[in-house]
Amino acid sequence: MPSVDSEWLIQAICSSSQDPQQRLLALFDILAEWLLSNQDKSNARNINPLADEKQTLLNFLIQESTHARAASPEALAYQLFFMAKGALHEAIRMPQGEAFTQAKYAAITLIKAQTSNTPSKRVRYSIALLSTVIITALSSYLLLKNDIATQATPHTQQSLKTNLNNKPSPAEMAELYKKIELMRSGVCRFPEALMLPDKLKSVYIENIVQGVPSADTSDTQLMYDLLKQIQCDYAPMLMKNSK
Amino acid sequence: MGSPLRDKILDVAADLFQTRGINSTGVDTIVAVAGTTKMTLYKYFNSKEELILEVVKKNHQDFNEWLANALNKSAKKPEDKLQKLFDCIEEWITASTFKGMASLKASAEFPNEENAVHMLSAEQARQFRQFLTALAVDAGVKEPEALSLQLSLLIEGSIQAEQIKRGSGAIKHAKKAAKLLIENALN
């Protein structure tokens, strides 16, 4: 395939966001949209926007990975570049497939792996976990108090009370954090059993979905259980333009 | 089928397709390098397209056989085989005999979905993903198809990059990525 200059791609990525992590993810959205808008054009299939003969795009990805505080920016840049190349190739071969969606999921995993141990991320990780506490404390209080909780089976009430004293393992806490982060990119539906009063719902959305820190501490097991019941739809969010 | 001359033509064609491109390599060049004649080539292959299809099929078959063997040797448990997958892929890619993946070259040079070469390449990609999915299922991955697609994209992307710049050492980054994606999927 003839190659094209990567400059247009870099410009589009820079326009999409100021945040380096969002820029890295925007690579996939922009390529997906480029392919979608060029599918009917016969010459599009012969153009390779990722040929990158002068490594301009790769260098840009290394730069953004550095700004994103990746532990190994060069490794991350190459990994994302490979994912994008593979996704483009596959998406051309199978336009109805999920190539870019899965490539982006993979990118999220790879970026997280490189950035979750940097000090600022550690602090934010702790704050995000701490932020679940108010929800845990308030929701467990209200669930036990209100009509929905009283309609629960004795077993449920018992397990709620028991769960309050169980601390999640590090793997469960990582899963919790992952779920919270992932929820931010999706459109989520809360089961009826979790129809909390408006005040609690807004705190829940503010602290969990939007990740605004709060300052209290308690057991997160109940939040973990509640989060497991939330169904989220990610595909439309992943494929839309980054602002 | 098992004629040495036929095999020689296939080998030479595979090499030239890889280094110069499929469309850029004429039959004249193939027979000249193979030290034979066009008449002989057309005795074994009805057309250039048939030759291309045979090269792509053979490359895919060689790879599949090699990989299955390498994985079986490397580990017994399915989750361990999954972890070893990219070690094996790396070994295949960095071998001095590595000629690239004919399937990737084929789908890049034949973008028309109705073309026989394109269809073969798409079918091979599908089969490879099925193989990865089965590996993931056996290893107990919760979303095996998602992981197999992610891994196949990673493999394709890194092979393309390696084909462009051999020995760049970038494969080690892909290997690390594979391990992270597999760990993520297993947890």
Side-chain angles (χ1 to χ4, degrees):
Chain A
M1 283 191 254
S3 61
V4 294
D5 201 300
S6 310
E7 282 303 326
W8 72 267
L9 185 50
I10 294 170
Q11 295 281 359
I13 292 171
C14 288
S15 305
S16 71
S17 174
Q18 293 301 309
D19 180 80
Q21 284 196 22
Q22 290 304 316
R23 283 182 171 184
L24 293 172
L25 295 175
L27 169 65
F28 302 94
D29 295 327
I30 291 165
L31 283 171
E33 291 196 14
W34 173 84
L35 192 62
L36 205 61
S37 63
N38 281 288
Q39 242 169 15
D40 296 331
K41 294 176 191 165
S42 58
N43 63 347
R45 287 161 173 269
N46 292 322
I47 295 173
N48 182 3
L50 292 178
D52 203 31
E53 282 155 358
K54 295 177 191 165
Q55 276 201 226
T56 322
L57 178 64
L58 197 52
N59 290 337
F60 171 74
L61 294 176
I62 293 173
Q63 175 192 291
E64 291 304 311
S65 299
T66 307
H67 292 155
R69 300 172 132 199
S72 308
E74 189 180 300
L76 181 60
Y78 268 106
Q79 290 165 356
L80 299 181
F81 188 57
F82 294 153
M83 294 305 309
K85 262 191 177 301
L88 183 63
H89 202 107
E90 175 64 20
I92 288 172
R93 197 162 43 201
M94 216 157 102
Q96 294 80 22
E98 289 196 344
F100 281 111
T101 304
Q102 287 302 330
K104 194 170 173 179
Y105 276 132
I108 290 170
T109 301
L110 297 171
I111 291 169
K112 264 208 207 333
Q114 290 246 13
T115 55
S116 61
N117 287 327
T118 56
S120 64
K121 281 288 173 179
R122 240 200 319 268
V123 168
R124 271 185 274 170
Y125 174 59
S126 307
I127 288 174
L129 283 178
L130 293 179
S131 77
T132 67
V133 167
I134 279 202
I135 309 308
T136 309
L138 283 172
S139 61
S140 59
Y141 171 73
L142 284 164
L143 277 171
L144 288 171
K145 230 181 105 83
N146 77 15
D147 289 342
I148 291 170
T150 57
Q151 285 164 23
T153 63
H155 172 74
T156 310
Q157 285 181 315
Q158 182 56 42
S159 70
L160 280 177
K161 284 180 189 168
T162 310
N163 280 339
L164 284 174
N165 294 322
N166 291 340
K167 294 211 180 300
S169 65
E172 283 173 333
M173 286 172 81
E175 180 65 28
L176 174 70
Y177 178 69
K178 194 167 87 171
K179 178 88 182 185
I180 293 168
E181 284 293 309
L182 201 54
M183 271 174 54
R184 287 184 199 157
S185 65
V187 176
C188 297
R189 295 174 292 280
F190 299 93
E192 281 189 13
L194 294 178
M195 289 289 280
L196 305 169
D198 281 350
K199 187 182 173 184
L200 183 61
K201 197 194 301 184
S202 68
V203 172
Y204 180 82
I205 290 170
E206 191 182 352
N207 280 270
I208 297 302
V209 178
Q210 295 179 7
V212 174
S214 78
D216 204 347
T217 58
S218 152
D219 196 328
T220 59
Q221 181 63 48
L222 179 61
M223 181 51 57
Y224 182 70
D225 290 337
L226 290 170
L227 278 173
K228 277 199 281 195
Q229 298 175 51
I230 295 168
Q231 304 298 317
C232 293
D233 184 9
Y234 301 107
M237 299 296 287
L238 283 176
M239 296 308 288
K240 79 170 188 189
N241 277 332
S242 302
K243 289 277 178 259
Chain B
M1 267 295 252
S3 146
L5 192 47
R6 185 183 187 275
D7 290 344
K8 175 104 196 255
I9 292 170
L10 273 175
D11 263 345
V12 166
D15 194 53
L16 289 170
F17 289 163
Q18 184 54 40
T19 50
R20 300 184 188 197
I22 301 175
N23 285 316
S24 317
T25 302
V27 169
D28 288 333
T29 309
I30 296 170
V31 298
V33 174
T36 184
T37 63
K38 274 207 260 191
M39 198 163 75
T40 307
L41 186 146
Y42 287 124
K43 190 171 100 178
Y44 294 113
F45 308 98
N46 287 329
S47 59
K48 185 185 173 190
E49 184 175 89
E50 192 181 298
L51 173 58
I52 296 167
L53 290 170
E54 289 302 313
V55 165
V56 174
K57 272 186 212 162
K58 182 170 190 301
N59 181 267
H60 185 72
Q61 194 182 337
D62 287 346
F63 172 66
N64 284 345
E65 278 174 11
W66 184 89
L67 184 62
N69 205 32
L71 280 176
N72 285 335
K73 273 194 207 162
S74 70
K76 292 271 179 286
K77 291 191 220 167
E79 53 271 26
D80 294 335
K81 279 192 193 180
L82 193 59
Q83 297 282 9
K84 287 283 180 192
L85 173 70
F86 222 90
D87 291 309
C88 297
I89 302 277
E90 184 191 23
E91 206 183 311
W92 174 261
I93 292 173
T94 53
S96 57
T97 50
F98 177 64
K99 285 194 171 105
M101 298 291 277
S103 180
L104 289 181
K105 204 93 182 157
S107 63
E109 290 201 39
F110 296 89
N112 184 341
E113 281 173 20
E114 281 152 32
N115 177 279
V117 178
H118 179 102
M119 289 197 289
L120 174 64
S121 157
E123 174 58 23
Q124 288 177 346
R126 199 190 59 79
Q127 282 175 11
F128 182 60
R129 265 221 306 290
Q130 269 187 332
F131 168 76
L132 292 180
T133 303
L135 209 58
V137 166
D138 286 346
V141 166
K142 281 185 210 129
E143 291 177 58
E145 288 183 2
L147 178 64
S148 89
L149 179 52
Q150 291 177 11
L151 289 177
S152 70
L153 298 180
L154 181 63
I155 289 167
E156 255 190 66
S158 57
I159 287 178
Q160 278 185 53
E162 181 67 16
Q163 282 178 169
I164 291 165
K165 201 175 168 190
R166 283 224 64 180
S168 62
I171 292 297
K172 64 179 187 291
H173 299 315
K175 199 164 132 177
K176 180 78 182 143
K179 285 199 166 8
L180 285 167
L181 295 176
I182 291 167
E183 269 165 27
N184 183 60
L186 284 171
N187 297 325

